[in-house]
Amino acid sequence: ENGRITRADFYGDFLSLRPLDELSRALCGCAFRREDVEAVLRRFEPREYFGGITAGEVLATIFDAAGTPE
């Protein structure tokens, strides 16, 4: 909404060691730009939230799914 993330939900068959709502809350209000989302993701350890999925893969999924050019 207006270029900002208002809601972030994560679904998948990965094993999360920490609640994903911590990351979702951190993304709310963030500008929907790759570099801004990447800065938020850097504050979190990807393995704790996404198992074997890397932060780069999370970024690719978010921006490719939205049809946003990299």
Side-chain angles (χ1 to χ4, degrees):
E1 189 173 304
N2 297 319
R4 299 246 171 226
I5 297 171
T6 58
R7 182 176 172 176
D9 295 316
F10 296 95
Y11 300 96
D13 59 353
F14 47 86
L15 295 174
S16 178
L17 300 175
R18 299 187 61 126
L20 287 164
D21 61 331
E22 296 172 355
L23 177 57
S24 295
R25 280 194 305 271
L27 286 168
C28 286
C30 177
F32 190 69
R33 294 187 320 196
R34 187 180 188 93
E35 59 270 16
D36 293 312
V37 173
E38 184 175 12
V40 172
L41 289 176
R42 271 193 244 121
R43 298 181 354 219
F44 296 85
E45 173 55 51
R47 276 185 268 204
E48 292 182 15
Y49 295 88
F50 300 107
I53 300 170
T54 68
E57 291 170 321
V58 173
L59 284 169
T61 300
I62 291 170
F63 288 94
D64 291 347
T68 305
E70 294 194 33

